[in-house]
Amino acid sequence: MRKSSAARVRTAVYILLTAAAILLLCTYVAYTGLPYLYSLLGAEPDPYWKQAIFAAVFFILFVGCVGAISSLMSKRHMIVWDMIQDAMRRIAKGDFSVSIDLPMDEKDRLGTIVSNVNQMAVELGALEKMRQEFISNVSHEIQSPLTSIQGFAKAIKQENLSPEARLRYITIIETESERLSKISDNLLKLTSLESKHHPFEQIPYRLDKQLRNVVLASEPKWLEKKLDMEVELEPVTFRADRDLMSQVWINLLSNAIKFTPEGGTIRIGLSAEEGRARVSVADTGIGLTEEDRQHVFERFYKADKSRTSSGGGSGLGLSIVQKIIEMHGGEISVESRLGEGTVFLVTLPLEAQEPDA
C-alpha cells in the first residue's frame, strides 16, 4: 500500500513538473515570437487584441505540445506493449531466453512490468534447466540397475552355468531390484514432501530419546565395522512430526556409518539453547571436498563417485533430509574436509512450525 501511494505521488510530481515546463515554454515562445511577427507585418494591434492573440497563440502552442508529447508517449507505450506481448508468447512456447532490452525506469509502472517479465523469463529458464537435469539424473539412476538386471537375467539363461554363478547372478538381480525400488520410493517421498498434501502431524516428544533409539536400532551396523559410538544428549522436549524426524536421524547416522572406515568414531550430540535444539552428527570418515560440500544436498548428487550399486545410494537421502528440516523451520549445514571426516549440524526451533511445503 505504501509503495502504491509513493508511486502515485511520484507520478503526480512528474505530471506537474512537465505541465510547468510546457507552460513556461509556451509563454516564452508567445511572448518573444509575437512582437517579432508584428515587426515583420509592420503593424501592431491595440492592447485588447494583443492580449487576445497572445492567449490564442499560447493555447494553440500548449495544446500542440501536450498532443505531441502524448502521441510520443502513446507510441512508445504501444511499442513496449508489443514487445511485452511478443515476449509472453515466446515464454508460453518454452523460449526462456527472452529479454526486453529497453532503458526503463523501474519506478514507472510500465518499467516494473518489463522488469518482472525479464525476471520471470530468467527464473523459468532456471526451473527448466533444473527440470531437464532432474529428468536426466532420474533416467541415469534408473538405467544403471535396469542394465544390470537385464544383463544378468540373460546370463542366467546359459545352460552350462554353474549353480554358484547362477546364485550369484540372482543375488545381484535382487540387489539391483531393491535399489531400483528404493530410488522409486525416495522419488515419491520427495515429491510428496514438496506437495501441500503430505501428512504433517506435530506432537511433543523427547528428542534425546528418539536419537538414542535410532543409535540402538543401528547398533548391528556400527558394531560390525567396530566403530566407536560417542553419544552426548541433553534432555530436550521437541514438538515435531516424529516419523519424519526419525527419517532424518536414520539417514544421517546411516551415512556416517557407511562412509566411516572400520575402527573409526561417530559422535552424536544434542543441546538446547536460545529456543533452538542443535543436533550434530560427526564422523571420522572419508570426508568431502569443498566442491562436494557445496552440492551435497542436491538431488542425485554423489560426492563419492564410487557410491554406486555397491553402496546402495540413490543420491536423494540428503535432499529428503533437508526438505524435512525446512518443513520444521530448521536448518542443516555440513562441515567437512577430505580424509578428515564430516559433521552435519541440524538446528531446529523448539516451538512448533507450520509446514513450509
Side-chain angles (χ1 to χ4, degrees):
M1 184 63 71
R2 291 180 179 177
K3 290 184 178 179
S4 178
S5 300
R8 284 197 292 269
V9 170
R10 284 195 298 269
T11 301
V13 171
Y14 293 153
I15 292 173
L16 289 174
L17 290 176
T18 303
I22 293 174
L23 287 171
L24 290 173
L25 177 63
C26 293
T27 302
Y28 175 78
V29 172
Y31 186 79
T32 58
L34 285 175
Y36 178 72
L37 179 63
Y38 296 151
S39 65
L40 289 178
L41 295 174
E44 185 173 336
D46 57 56
Y48 174 79
W49 284 106
K50 284 177 67 175
Q51 291 182 4
I53 293 170
F54 178 86
V57 171
F58 175 82
F59 178 76
I60 292 171
L61 289 173
F62 183 78
V63 171
C65 288
V66 171
I69 292 174
S70 299
S71 178
L72 290 174
M73 291 297 293
S74 177
K75 288 181 180 179
R76 179 175 179 272
H77 282 192
M78 288 302 298
I79 292 171
V80 174
W81 278 115
D82 288 342
M83 296 181 71
I84 291 174
Q85 290 177 12
D86 180 65
M88 295 300 291
R89 281 193 293 266
R90 290 171 60 187
I91 290 173
K93 293 179 180 179
D95 180 6
F96 304 121
S97 62
V98 172
S99 178
I100 303 175
D101 188 14
L102 283 176
M104 300 292 295
D105 183 2
E106 292 190 2
K107 295 179 181 179
D108 176 62
R109 288 185 178 180
L110 196 58
T112 301
I113 294 174
V114 170
S115 176
N116 288 340
V117 170
N118 288 337
Q119 184 64 26
M120 179 178 66
V122 171
E123 293 182 0
L124 286 174
L127 286 173
E128 176 63 15
K129 184 179 179 181
M130 290 175 59
R131 186 187 70 84
Q132 292 177 355
E133 290 179 352
F134 179 74
I135 293 174
S136 176
N137 288 330
V138 170
S139 300
H140 175 75
E141 290 295 327
I142 291 177
Q143 187 61 37
S144 178
L146 284 177
T147 301
S148 295
I149 292 171
Q150 184 180 24
F152 287 106
K154 289 181 179 179
I156 292 176
K157 293 180 180 179
Q158 299 177 19
E159 295 181 358
N160 58 346
L161 193 66
S162 66
E164 294 78 9
R166 190 181 303 276
L167 179 60
R168 186 170 69 254
Y169 292 168
I170 292 174
T171 302
I172 293 173
I173 290 174
E174 183 181 15
T175 301
E176 292 298 288
S177 298
E178 290 175 353
R179 186 160 78 99
L180 191 60
S181 177
K182 187 176 180 180
I183 292 173
S184 177
D185 288 343
N186 284 337
L187 281 171
L188 291 173
K189 185 179 297 180
L190 192 56
T191 302
S192 178
L193 288 172
E194 291 179 341
S195 72
K196 296 181 179 180
H197 308 292
H198 188 85
F200 189 80
E201 182 181 358
Q202 298 183 94
I203 59 171
Y205 67 92
R206 286 282 295 274
L207 181 56
D208 54 303
K209 290 184 177 180
Q210 184 182 49
L211 287 167
R212 199 177 304 276
N213 289 336
V214 170
V215 172
L216 292 174
S218 61
E219 184 175 11
K221 295 181 180 179
W222 52 266
L223 284 181
E224 182 182 0
K225 297 184 71 172
K226 300 177 181 178
L227 303 177
D228 290 331
M229 187 69 65
E230 299 180 2
V231 179
E232 295 183 8
L233 306 175
E234 293 183 5
V236 174
T237 299
F238 182 56
R239 186 177 180 85
D241 189 302
R242 189 167 188 165
D243 292 337
L244 289 179
M245 292 308 303
S246 180
Q247 294 179 38
V248 170
W249 314 130
I250 290 172
N251 189 287
L252 293 179
L253 184 55
S254 296
N255 279 349
I257 295 171
K258 186 186 300 182
F259 302 112
T260 300
E262 187 172 322
T265 302
I266 295 176
R267 299 180 180 87
I268 299 178
L270 168 63
S271 61
E273 53 185 82
E274 299 178 355
R276 300 183 73 83
R278 289 175 169 80
V279 180
S280 62
V281 180
D283 62 60
T284 57
I286 59 178
L288 300 167
T289 65
E290 179 61 26
E291 180 182 0
D292 291 335
R293 189 182 65 81
Q294 295 177 1
H295 300 283
V296 73
F297 295 107
E298 294 179 6
R299 299 174 184 180
F300 296 109
Y301 188 83
K302 298 178 182 180
D304 180 3
K305 299 303 183 287
S306 66
R307 300 179 191 181
T308 55
S309 58
S310 60
S314 66
L316 290 170
L318 289 177
S319 297
I320 293 173
V321 164
Q322 185 183 51
K323 183 60 185 177
I324 293 173
I325 292 172
E326 288 177 351
M327 288 173 65
H328 287 82
E331 298 175 350
I332 182 170
S333 61
V334 58
E335 297 178 4
S336 183
R337 288 186 179 180
L338 194 62
E340 297 183 13
T342 302
V343 180
F344 283 94
L345 178 63
V346 178
T347 58
L348 293 158
L350 293 177
E351 295 295 327
Q353 299 289 313
E354 290 298 321
D356 183 17

